[in-house]
Amino acid sequence: MSDDLTGWLHDLVWSIGPVAPGSAIAAQGIAATVGKSGGTAVVDVEVVNEQQAAVAAVFQPGVMRSDDGHVWYPRVVARSTSLFPALESRRLTIEIAVPSTLPPSSYRGTLGVLAIGGHLALEVEVVDGELRDSP
Amino acid sequence: MSIEIDSITLRDSGPVPRTTSSALSSLLARLNTLHVISGTHALGSLVAGLASLGREASATAEGALVREALLSTRIGSNGEALWSVLGMDDASSIFPPSPVLDDLRNDLSLLVAHDLDAALVDIDLIEPAESLGPLREPSRVECIDLVVGMWAYSTEITGIINEVVAATAVDRVRAPDPSDLSGPVLR
């Protein structure tokens, strides 16, 4: 019985990742950006790591939806970083491809990291592809 | 009215702060526990942990497309056949999933920590030779071998899966579904 209990405890310790410290995302408001159909949209945010250990965090956008019901599965073209050193801030830019078939509209979704609780609300205003870049 | 922000904060998710010492404790506890649980349990929990991660990833935009693309190819049907016939579905369902990403992140944080030397003092490690016995002629394995090996392993998987997904026509844009207009605006 004692051996059973010990074995069960060892199994439990293995399974739950003993005292595995984790991370959580704290963010309020919405990260907003603009992208052209057929081009890209760039999300640009400062990531502040308040933890005393570095965090490897691959930020990913979730499924985006427009008010009229269009659903967009955004693809990340490039990320500036996925490693956030302890007690440091780093600028994170994520370039997202905007399909040419995506109708101009305001799309809302989230920006988060797998297995890290919390996320940032994300809004991408998709405009006509012929619109000129701002200077 | 939306509030535009330009910063995200990464904080501790629970009562145990993420420090080099606590990340090292987590790694040590896993290593020490390996000596007292079965290989089946260790491997089963890892498989269950990866599968749990896959389900979570499938809820993301890219993950949903990867899943849909893979399911439309032979990988989906052959994988399901292997899984079922070899009994992996039953076996993996009984093991609690390991927190594979938390473990990976904590282990990676040790590799880039500035205060690792201080944390390595006074660790309590079980001598592997006593419990494992001779499994083969000793052949030195360096940590950098493992790191480069993991890079090569993940590169191989990523390359293959990306190639399969790229060859599969999956829509990244879907027109409005009348029955879906009242749904939540979430990923």
Side-chain angles (χ1 to χ4, degrees), chain A residues 10-11 15 18 21-24 26 28 30 46 48 50-52 54-56 65 68 71 73 76 113-115 120, chain B residues 2-13 18 29 33 36-37 41 56 62 97 99 105-106 172 174 176 180:
Chain A
H10 284 140
D11 288 353
S15 302
S23 308
Q28 290 185 328
I30 296 174
E46 187 83 4
V48 182
E50 292 185 346
Q51 298 190 295
Q52 298 177 57
V55 182
R65 297 172 193 272
D68 63 0
V71 180
Y73 293 77
V76 174
V113 181
L114 284 175
L120 174 66
Chain B
S2 63
I3 305 168
E4 294 190 15
I5 68 160
D6 64 356
S7 74
I8 295 172
T9 303
L10 294 167
R11 294 177 174 157
D12 295 325
S13 63
R18 267 187 94 249
T33 309
V36 290
I37 65 169
H41 188 108
E56 184 178 346
E62 295 257 42
R105 288 186 178 121
N106 289 330
R172 291 191 173 271
R174 293 196 179 143
D180 193 38

Side-chain angles (χ1 to χ4, degrees), chain B residues 163-181:
Chain B
E163 187 174 320
V164 171
V165 171
T168 309
V170 177
D171 289 338
R172 291 191 173 271
V173 179
R174 293 196 179 143
D177 177 350
S179 64
D180 193 38
L181 284 177

Side-chain angles (χ1 to χ4, degrees), chain A:
Chain A
M1 182 66 183
S2 169
D3 288 347
D4 287 348
L5 180 60
T6 304
W8 180 82
L9 284 173
H10 284 140
D11 288 353
L12 182 65
V13 165
W14 169 263
S15 302
I16 64 175
V19 296
S23 308
I25 293 173
Q28 290 185 328
I30 296 174
T33 186
V34 178
K36 292 191 299 185
S37 293
T40 60
V42 177
V43 181
D44 184 356
V45 293
E46 187 83 4
V47 178
V48 182
N49 181 13
E50 292 185 346
Q51 298 190 295
Q52 298 177 57
V55 182
V58 180
F59 279 85
Q60 301 184 58
V63 178
M64 310 286 288
R65 297 172 193 272
S66 67
D67 288 339
D68 63 0
H70 281 91
V71 180
W72 170 30
Y73 293 77
R75 176 174 62 88
V76 174
V77 177
R79 286 181 192 84
S80 61
T81 185
S82 295
L83 181 63
F84 303 95
L87 304 172
E88 285 189 24
S89 299
R90 279 202 172 173
R91 203 81 203 171
L92 167 68
T93 56
I94 301 176
E95 189 175 359
I96 302 168
V98 182
S100 57
T101 54
L102 192 64
S105 185
S106 180
Y107 291 82
R108 285 187 287 275
T110 60
L111 185 67
V113 181
L114 284 175
I116 289 185
H119 59 255
L120 174 66
L122 175 64
E123 184 171 323
V124 180
E125 184 74 28
V126 175
V127 297
D128 192 293
E130 294 178 0
L131 195 71
R132 290 183 180 177
D133 286 329
S134 51

Side-chain angles (χ1 to χ4, degrees), chain B residues 4 19 29 53 92 103 105 118 137 147 150 184:
Chain B
E4 294 190 15
T19 64
L53 176 63
S92 58
D103 290 342
R105 288 186 178 121
E137 283 298 312
V147 175
M150 289 183 71

Side-chain angles (χ1 to χ4, degrees), chain B residues 100-111:
Chain B
V100 288
L101 264 189
D102 279 341
D103 290 342
L104 177 66
R105 288 186 178 121
N106 289 330
D107 296 348
L108 287 175
S109 75
L110 294 175
L111 294 178

